[in-house]
Amino acid sequence: MKKAAYFLLAMILLLSCSEGRDLSQFSSDGASAAAEYFYELLAKGQGQAYVDNMQEAASMDTCKYSQFVDLMEQFLHEERELRGGILAAKAERDTMVDSISMVYLNVQFGDSTREEIVLPVVYTRGRWWIR
């Protein structure tokens, strides 16, 4: 329950650099691919890279940015402890309105459990960002 609270807190605090994946496609497919990529970062334990892909990351002051990174690291630690970590995420469907897409991901964990989560992404400045 704590890990869900940390994750929700991170999403609520966020008002709204990728490496290796083209996030420039403005389409439903582009939103799904971007959301999968963002969760791949979490599966690899790259909490800071995940935060770097948040829409408002560049405008955060150093303190707020550090808090988000720490929060993501705590979330990842708890996921490893409780469910063996995040193994993979597959986009199942999405709802897109204008430049915002709510991507429904089926997330697989190390203990063989699965959970559907919704990751909001927004297309701005020529690419997809975590909203």
Side-chain angles (χ1 to χ4, degrees):
M1 190 60 142
K2 249 186 185 177
K3 58 103 185 124
Y6 286 125
F7 185 73
L8 288 175
L9 179 60
M11 298 314 288
I12 290 169
L13 289 174
L14 179 63
L15 298 174
S16 52
C17 37
S18 78
E19 50 188 25
R21 179 81 66 98
D22 180 12
L23 303 178
S24 63
Q25 181 186 6
F26 180 63
S27 70
S28 180
D29 291 338
S32 293
E36 286 178 354
Y37 171 73
F38 299 143
Y39 252 74
E40 283 176 21
L41 294 173
L42 293 179
K44 294 176 184 176
Q46 298 177 0
Q48 183 172 353
Y50 183 87
V51 172
D52 289 341
N53 282 283
M54 292 178 169
Q55 180 184 13
E56 299 298 326
S59 64
M60 289 180 196
D61 62 52
T62 305
C63 181
K64 186 175 181 179
Y65 177 83
S66 295
Q67 288 175 344
F68 269 96
V69 171
D70 290 345
L71 191 61
M72 288 312 302
E73 295 301 328
Q74 278 184 309
F75 169 74
L76 292 172
H77 175 76
E78 288 190 8
E79 284 302 320
R80 283 189 297 273
E81 292 291 314
L82 294 173
R83 300 199 253 185
I86 299 168
L87 294 184
K90 176 73 176 145
E92 298 293 326
R93 64 187 189 284
D94 65 84
T95 303
M96 191 165 156
V97 177
D98 296 324
S99 62
I100 299 172
S101 183
M102 302 299 275
V103 180
Y104 293 79
L105 294 168
N106 185 338
V107 180
Q108 179 183 355
F109 299 93
D111 65 357
S112 300
T113 59
R114 293 181 180 271
E115 182 178 319
E116 183 177 74
I117 64 106
V118 179
L119 184 66
V121 294
V122 61
Y123 191 86
T124 184
R125 300 185 312 246
R127 60 162 286 194
W128 287 101
W129 300 87
I130 301 164
R131 185 152 196 246

